[in-house]
Amino acid sequence: MDRLPRAPTAAYNPPTPPDALNRDLASSSSDPTSPPGTRVQEAAGGRSSSTFELAMEEGLENRGGACPQLLDLIPNESDWMMAPEASGGGRGVGGLDDSEDKKLELRLGLPGGGGGEEESAVLSLGFFSMASKTTTAAAAAIATCSGARRGLFESAEFTKSEGPQQEQQRQQGGFLQLQSRAESGDGWPHKAVLQQSHAAPGGAAAPNTSSQTRAAPAPVVGWPPIRSFRKNLSSSSVKPSVELENDNIEMKQKFDNNKKGLLVKINMDGIPIGRKVDLKAYDNYEKLSLAVKELFLGLLAAQKDTPQNENEEAKQAFVGLLDGSGEYTLVYEDNEGDKMLVGGVPWDVFVSTVKRLRVLKSSDLTALHLGAAVSRKRTATESLS
Amino acid sequence: MTYFPEEVVEHIVDFLGSHGDRNAVSTVCKAWYQVDRLSRRSVFVGNCYAIRPERVVTRFPEMKSLTVKGKPHFADFNLVPYDWGGFAQPWIEAAARGCPGLEELRLKRMVITDDDLELLSCSFPNFKSLVLVSCEGFSTDGLAEIATYCRGLRELDLQENEVEDHGHQWLSCFPDSCTSLVSLNFACLKGEVNASALERLVARCPNLRSLKLNHSIPVESLNKILARAPHLVDLGTGSFTIDNRSETYHRLINSFFRCKSLRSLSGFWDASPFCLQAVYPICANLTVLNLSYAPAIQSADLTKLVGFCFKLQKLWVLDCIGDKGLVVVASTCKELQELRVFPSDVYGAGITAVTEEGLVAISSGCPKLNSLLYFCYQMTNAALTTVAKNCPHFTRFRLCILEPEKPDPVTNQPLDEGFGAIVRSCKNLRRLSVSGLLTDQVFLYIGMYAERLEMLSIAFAGDSDKGMVYVLNGCKNLRKLEIRDCPFGDAALLKDVAKYETMRSLWMSSCDVTLGGCKSLAAKMPRLNVEIINENDGTSESKENLSDQHKLVLCQQFTSVSNDIMFTSNDPDVCRRVRL
């Protein structure tokens, strides 16, 4: 039976809270030679990890037999990686070779430095082996012991810089995220921590986030604890033009938008479940249209309850989304609450004013709705001038 | 026992206001249970899954007012998936069948559809008051139904709901014969509302005392409305953008000047600073002021405005008021009881304008302060200790340090001592939210001193199971406990399972509790409703792309906010849903 080397218990330490690590890094410049354990231990103020350790050891002892099985899971990542991306442009990281795979697994989770791969190996395998049984909650619980810590867990210790592709992998899920993040770039621990400390106060944003909220985020879900409409207040409030020029408004909105990933809800007529799409991932309407199709194709086909070959029919539904010629049309709601056809304004303006998207049946588009929006915009502009 | 006529008991029981007291009365004996049951007019259901709607309706056939709460509090912060539940439909249906005399319905964090609203509007001929707080699932079409069919409607109060905009016609559906409105609040509506229909409505409702507009109502309309309704007590302005020194602006000042009864102001959507001057005439009368929707107004203007409001009891602001602004509040608003300071720059890595200094100033200047919600970037133990000493009357104390696990910046220590001082000093504390770097010690303090505590919110705190156990052991009156991202596991969860029967609800997410632990709890306490939310978020990417069940679960654990565990303590007539 293959058993992986067990790390001495003492070497295991729970992921540090980002701030602790931050302080730690700030106070002592990064010292890759020092064992990760000690530094973390100090910084964390001796955070008790007894629960962790117990669970970990259990996992290792009882599930030794599961380890090979577990390893099987990981190569299957090629399936995972190849899975179609929700946002357009994602590419599978299929180019990983085996040694990379190993590196990826081993890289998981121990904060505090690139060293100590052995411990990381044990740690990660422990996680997975626990998860392979029904104690999925345990894996979840341990792996995600805190939103902030989880963020660090994912982002820490990968010493390559993160390319744009990798970001798009993140939305595939935390697991994939961990895999792909291993390809991240140099200076990563610092970068990760800096991001984390950026993210933590901000709560919902990190400079480079493009992942959907469902993927375990570096920004913490549901933090700070304020209602969503309050989060959007500053960025969406329209400054009166007597005080700001229109350019400034746009610029400020763009700037605000750049600080966070631009996730908007999108619903499609006839489909009860909505989706979210990150507009930062695209730079033109064509790509958006493609992405919309990707998002809803499966759901629409399932809805119609059609056999395989009628997927074509479902695909057809998405032709002509932008020009009104197709079965469905893409519309959006802007920051003034008006419903607008997608494609009427330059992409940048669209991104800075869009609040949510809808895929409407073209037959439902009434001139009335859009006309009302147009006339209100007119009066609004007039009253501002 | 001496014969005690039930009529007398009923008469006495009618004096009991609180639901808790009436519940207690009903447990004394069968006779008293009957008296309470038949005489109870106002029914409060704190958790919609704790009891079946039919049971409530059968037990209280003379019910006139029904309040139901649905989703857990953390749903406000997107921690609960949309399709979790909290549906109003079964409640409205049951009431329609069993209590046609219903006059008031108040729902919080529930899902209510247009069909539900239609049913509501047709089923209760005496219906007077609909209050929806943080609800969703309906559109302006549903509002149209209410407006059309609820004759004699007195109150339509929509607070912070997610309402789909299907046009502005709904307001015009109030018939010309509708003259009974006392309170109308549509501030949360995102779309346009027919301003002239609104003006006519206001004109024919002489009893209107509370009116809250949404951002689509321009100032010109506000002028006309104020002219028609000078007796308004509570006003939420619409859009507050005005041209500099225009006639509209002057008329606005006059309008406000005439509103001698105005005590509460909110709204100020898109307000620009100088527009606030229009409000100066009535500042001296204001007891409630909510400026938290106006991010464009900066400290100087806020400060100036607040400087006139010396009768203020409740103030909601954004943190751009700054510490200096809070000092002015402290020196002006000696009657202040409730203060909420919201963060204005959530996404920036920037510096918030309020620190512990502002809070200390408020505490020393406002001795009547009893309710606080304060978002800041940092807090010190010294400041909290001072605040505790200055304000021993806190009943609600919610401090949110925006960066999780941030210690005292001066001493680098956890904030255990600061919060400890708060719970020691504030003997009447009923609600507490803690933040910053906290160890198990703070929970020891909370367990020891917070005797009256009913609701506790914890995030990113604690070291071990002991923390949670301290709280469960110590806080005798604890009803709601919500925990996220803390290292509390099965041992803590299962330590004292009987405790949960004295509580309304427990929420744990991103903690160390396992599925096995939850199952164990459910097995030990069959009368508890133990739920696991396996968050899929409705966006079934993983379902689409991954066929292997094993992988699906695994993946979800990493992607989702982990297994969320929420359960409720309940009545014998429980609806048990175990969702895995």
Side-chain angles (χ1 to χ4, degrees):
Chain A
M1 172 176 71
D2 278 353
R3 288 206 63 156
L4 287 128
R6 273 187 60 183
T9 311
Y12 169 69
N13 288 288
T16 34
D19 187 64
L21 189 54
N22 198 11
R23 275 183 289 134
D24 188 67
L25 282 177
S27 54
S28 62
S29 54
S30 100
D31 182 3
T33 58
S34 77
T38 49
R39 217 166 4 120
V40 163
Q41 196 73 26
E42 287 159 11
R47 218 163 247 271
S48 147
S49 55
S50 53
T51 335
F52 285 85
E53 288 176 2
L54 234 116
M56 296 309 304
E57 292 191 352
E58 227 176 53
L60 291 167
E61 271 167 18
N62 305 339
R63 312 263 157 66
C67 291
Q69 181 191 349
L70 181 66
L71 286 173
D72 280 344
L73 276 179
I74 294 168
N76 286 344
E77 96 228 284
S78 54
D79 295 340
W80 297 45
M81 297 300 187
M82 286 309 189
E85 298 289 349
S87 71
R91 267 145 272 149
V93 194
L96 293 170
D97 59 9
D98 281 333
S99 62
E100 276 292 301
D101 292 357
K102 275 260 183 314
K103 259 201 244 159
L104 290 179
E105 312 156 33
L106 297 181
R107 276 294 170 89
L108 287 172
L110 253 201
E117 285 197 16
E118 255 51 16
E119 293 94 275
S120 314
V122 162
L123 179 64
S124 65
L125 287 168
F127 279 179
F128 293 144
S129 62
M130 297 216 64
S132 71
K133 297 285 176 169
T134 53
T135 53
T136 49
I142 295 174
T144 63
C145 57
S146 80
R149 283 185 256 170
R150 175 157 40 94
L152 181 68
F153 180 81
E154 295 151 9
S155 57
E157 308 336 302
F158 302 117
T159 53
K160 302 183 197 162
S161 56
E162 185 180 40
Q165 299 167 274
Q166 315 317 331
E167 292 188 27
Q168 281 156 358
Q169 301 308 315
R170 288 177 62 188
Q171 63 190 311
Q172 269 308 314
F175 178 65
L176 295 176
Q177 187 169 347
L178 292 164
Q179 301 282 331
S180 56
R181 287 294 204 117
E183 307 228 8
S184 316
D186 49 68
W188 188 247
H190 297 272
K191 200 160 129 190
V193 170
L194 281 176
Q195 281 178 2
Q196 200 58 23
S197 64
H198 261 281
N208 70 339
T209 177
S210 65
S211 56
Q212 303 194 355
T213 42
R214 201 174 46 83
V220 179
V221 174
W223 190 266
I226 56 174
R227 305 288 309 278
S228 327
F229 73 85
R230 286 198 181 278
K231 286 186 182 170
N232 294 329
L233 266 181
S234 320
S235 56
S236 67
S237 75
V238 176
K239 314 282 191 286
S241 64
V242 291
E243 299 192 2
L244 287 175
E245 317 229 338
N246 283 336
D247 305 358
N248 285 353
I249 297 176
E250 249 180 53
M251 251 172 45
K252 173 139 207 329
Q253 281 177 341
K254 257 195 247 181
F255 180 66
D256 285 332
N257 282 336
N258 280 339
K259 288 199 261 176
K260 54 182 156 96
L262 192 56
L263 290 167
V264 292
K265 285 192 200 170
I266 175 165
N267 288 82
M268 179 161 175
D269 271 357
I271 298 187
I273 307 266
R275 306 300 299 268
K276 273 192 179 161
V277 62
D278 180 3
L279 293 178
K280 286 285 162 219
Y282 319 108
D283 52 20
N284 64 42
Y285 289 114
E286 283 310 312
K287 288 191 184 157
L288 175 63
S289 176
L290 263 171
V292 169
K293 174 172 148 193
E294 295 285 310
L295 278 179
F296 285 109
L297 185 57
L299 290 171
L300 188 65
Q303 199 90 334
K304 299 196 173 180
D305 206 25
T306 56
Q308 276 296 77
N309 55 8
E310 295 204 21
N311 265 344
E312 284 310 308
E313 192 190 298
K315 285 195 184 145
Q316 267 306 105
F318 294 99
V319 168
L321 267 183
L322 296 172
D323 55 18
S325 68
E327 193 185 331
Y328 290 90
T329 302
L330 194 57
V331 304
Y332 72 101
E333 193 179 307
D334 69 3
N335 55 5
E336 289 174 337
D338 296 321
K339 301 229 174 38
M340 315 283 286
L341 278 175
V342 165
V345 296
W347 176 260
D348 287 339
V349 177
F350 166 70
V351 168
S352 65
T353 56
V354 63
K355 286 297 157 229
R356 70 189 292 169
L357 287 158
R358 281 197 80 89
V359 185
L360 290 185
K361 267 198 146 355
S362 300
S363 49
D364 284 345
L365 279 179
T366 56
L368 207 60
H369 262 159
L370 297 172
V374 169
S375 68
R376 184 178 175 270
K377 277 223 155 2
R378 224 179 279 135
T379 40
T381 339
E382 282 165 8
S383 70
L384 285 176
S385 57
Chain B
M1 180 176 153
T2 349
Y3 175 66
F4 206 64
E6 280 172 12
E7 295 81 5
V8 178
V9 177
E10 182 179 331
H11 188 64
I12 298 172
V13 160
D14 269 347
F15 285 104
L16 292 175
S18 95
H19 305 286
D21 287 341
R22 288 203 76 131
N23 286 341
V25 160
S26 67
T27 60
V28 169
C29 62
K30 273 210 166 89
W32 285 35
Y33 176 88
Q34 287 298 323
V35 168
D36 166 65
R37 150 171 192 257
L38 295 171
S39 65
R40 203 182 298 204
R41 300 283 176 268
S42 170
V43 177
F44 173 79
V45 179
N47 181 328
C48 65
Y49 289 114
I51 187 167
R52 285 197 191 88
E54 297 77 19
R55 178 91 182 98
V56 172
V57 163
T58 313
R59 180 173 167 187
F60 302 113
E62 303 300 321
M63 177 171 73
K64 295 279 177 278
S65 164
L66 175 63
T67 305
V68 187
K69 292 189 175 180
K71 297 185 193 180
H73 173 230
F74 276 175
D76 285 352
F77 319 128
N78 303 324
L79 287 178
V80 178
Y82 171 77
D83 57 355
W84 176 84
F87 299 110
Q89 186 188 12
W91 293 92
I92 298 178
E93 282 177 353
R97 277 194 293 271
C99 289
L102 192 70
E103 295 177 8
E104 177 180 273
L105 182 64
R106 311 168 73 97
L107 302 178
K108 185 166 184 179
R109 287 193 204 99
M110 296 195 71
V111 177
I112 180 167
T113 64
D114 288 343
D115 288 340
D116 297 333
L117 288 171
E118 188 184 337
L119 180 63
L120 178 68
S121 65
C122 300
S123 308
F124 308 106
N126 292 337
F127 198 74
K128 296 193 170 60
S129 167
L130 179 63
V131 180
L132 301 177
V133 181
S134 304
C135 297
E136 57 188 341
F138 62 105
S139 75
T140 49
D141 291 341
L143 297 180
E145 300 285 338
I146 297 287
T148 311
Y149 295 112
C150 291
R151 301 297 157 97
L153 189 72
R154 292 209 200 131
E155 180 176 20
L156 178 60
D157 186 359
L158 308 170
Q159 298 177 29
E160 300 186 352
N161 302 293
E162 277 283 327
V163 187
E164 257 203 46
D165 178 38
H166 288 180
H168 59 73
Q169 303 83 351
W170 67 275
L171 196 73
S172 315
C173 292
F174 280 108
D176 289 341
S177 54
C178 171
T179 57
S180 48
L181 273 182
V182 173
S183 165
L184 177 63
N185 173 2
F186 58 91
C188 63
L189 293 189
K190 293 183 279 236
E192 204 180 315
V193 173
N194 189 330
S196 45
L198 176 65
E199 289 159 26
R200 288 195 298 276
L201 179 64
V202 170
R204 63 179 184 271
C205 292
N207 297 326
L208 194 66
R209 293 294 172 266
S210 171
L211 179 64
K212 292 185 178 158
L213 314 173
N214 78 341
H215 70 93
S216 77
I217 305 290
V219 179
E220 293 78 11
S221 272
L222 180 62
N223 271 330
K224 292 189 197 144
I225 288 167
L226 290 178
R228 303 287 201 159
H231 301 297
L232 275 181
V233 173
D234 178 11
L235 173 70
T237 71
S239 156
F240 220 60
T241 13
I242 324 168
D243 270 334
N244 210 342
R245 310 295 174 228
S246 67
E247 198 193 323
T248 312
Y249 174 69
H250 288 293
R251 266 196 262 140
L252 188 64
I253 299 184
N254 283 329
S255 304
F256 276 121
F257 196 67
R258 268 185 264 118
C259 291
K260 303 288 185 203
S261 312
L262 210 47
R263 296 288 173 269
S264 165
L265 262 191
S266 60
F268 299 103
W269 309 102
D270 306 330
S272 43
F274 70 85
C275 304
L276 290 187
Q277 297 175 25
V279 169
Y280 288 171
I282 40 155
C283 283
N285 294 333
L286 287 182
T287 54
V288 176
L289 181 59
N290 181 353
L291 293 161
S292 65
Y293 306 125
I297 306 180
Q298 294 304 308
S299 176
D301 301 295
L302 282 174
T303 309
K304 189 143 181 240
L305 177 67
V306 171
F308 294 123
C309 303
F310 53 86
K311 283 199 193 148
L312 213 55
Q313 292 172 14
K314 184 159 130 174
L315 175 64
W316 291 21
V317 279
L318 291 172
D319 62 4
C320 34
I321 193 172
D323 283 336
K324 295 214 178 72
L326 289 177
V327 169
V328 173
V329 172
S331 59
T332 313
C333 309
K334 295 302 182 187
E335 303 296 315
L336 197 68
Q337 294 177 26
E338 175 176 323
L339 174 68
R340 296 197 190 187
V341 180
F342 294 96
S344 56
D345 186 15
V346 175
Y347 293 123
I351 307 154
T352 193
V354 299
T355 68
E356 72 274 13
E357 291 178 16
L359 184 58
V360 170
I362 290 283
S363 72
S364 58
C366 306
K368 295 191 183 173
L369 195 65
N370 59 47
S371 173
L372 180 77
L373 172 61
Y374 198 79
F375 285 85
C376 57
Y377 265 101
Q378 64 181 45
M379 185 54 58
T380 64
N381 282 311
L384 282 175
T385 310
T386 310
V387 169
K389 203 163 51 142
N390 291 339
C391 290
H393 304 300
F394 274 120
T395 53
R396 286 179 289 252
F397 190 88
R398 292 191 281 165
L399 180 70
C400 179
I401 302 167
L402 286 161
E403 188 183 322
E405 297 169 328
K406 184 162 175 147
D408 179 331
V410 171
T411 63
N412 242 6
Q413 292 298 305
L415 291 173
D416 300 334
E417 296 307 313
F419 280 107
I422 294 280
V423 291
R424 255 197 303 272
S425 164
C426 304
K427 308 259 185 270
N428 286 327
L429 196 65
R430 289 194 324 258
R431 182 170 182 182
L432 177 67
S433 296
V434 295
S435 58
L437 183 65
L438 295 165
T439 70
D440 287 342
Q441 185 70 12
V442 71
F443 300 116
L444 177 63
Y445 290 144
I446 292 174
M448 273 169 67
Y449 297 111
E451 286 172 359
R452 300 257 172 92
L453 195 66
E454 294 174 8
M455 181 168 177
L456 179 63
S457 306
I458 311 171
F460 306 104
D463 301 322
S464 73
D465 288 336
K466 286 198 270 193
M468 183 168 164
V469 173
Y470 289 146
V471 169
L472 291 175
N473 276 346
C475 300
K476 298 284 173 246
N477 287 307
L478 194 65
R479 282 187 8 245
K480 291 186 273 189
L481 180 59
E482 44 188 29
I483 306 173
R484 62 163 295 182
D485 295 281
C486 297
F488 305 141
D490 292 341
L493 181 69
L494 297 170
K495 188 79 194 292
D496 179 12
V497 292
K499 171 78 177 174
Y500 303 129
E501 285 196 319
T502 67
M503 291 169 57
R504 185 193 296 175
S505 64
L506 169 72
W507 169 281
M508 291 183 77
S509 63
S510 305
C511 297
D512 294 347
V513 185
T514 70
L515 188 58
C518 301
K519 283 186 169 167
S520 184
L521 175 61
K524 283 192 186 163
M525 303 294 293
R527 283 171 30 159
L528 287 182
N529 191 356
V530 182
E531 288 189 25
I532 309 245
I533 302 174
N534 220 350
E535 184 162 15
N536 204 0
D537 200 27
T539 60
S540 352
E541 273 180 354
S542 40
K543 273 209 178 93
E544 278 180 317
N545 302 332
L546 305 173
S547 52
D548 187 321
Q549 174 65 23
H550 194 178
K551 282 183 181 172
L552 173 64
V553 171
L554 198 103
C555 182
Q556 279 196 325
Q557 301 322 308
F558 282 89
T559 59
S560 74
V561 185
S562 158
N563 277 338
D564 295 349
I565 300 137
M566 190 269 310
F567 66 83
T568 65
S569 166
N570 54 31
D571 240 325
D573 300 299
V574 96
C575 15
R576 295 213 16 228
R577 303 179 320 161
V578 180
R579 208 185 344 195
L580 278 173

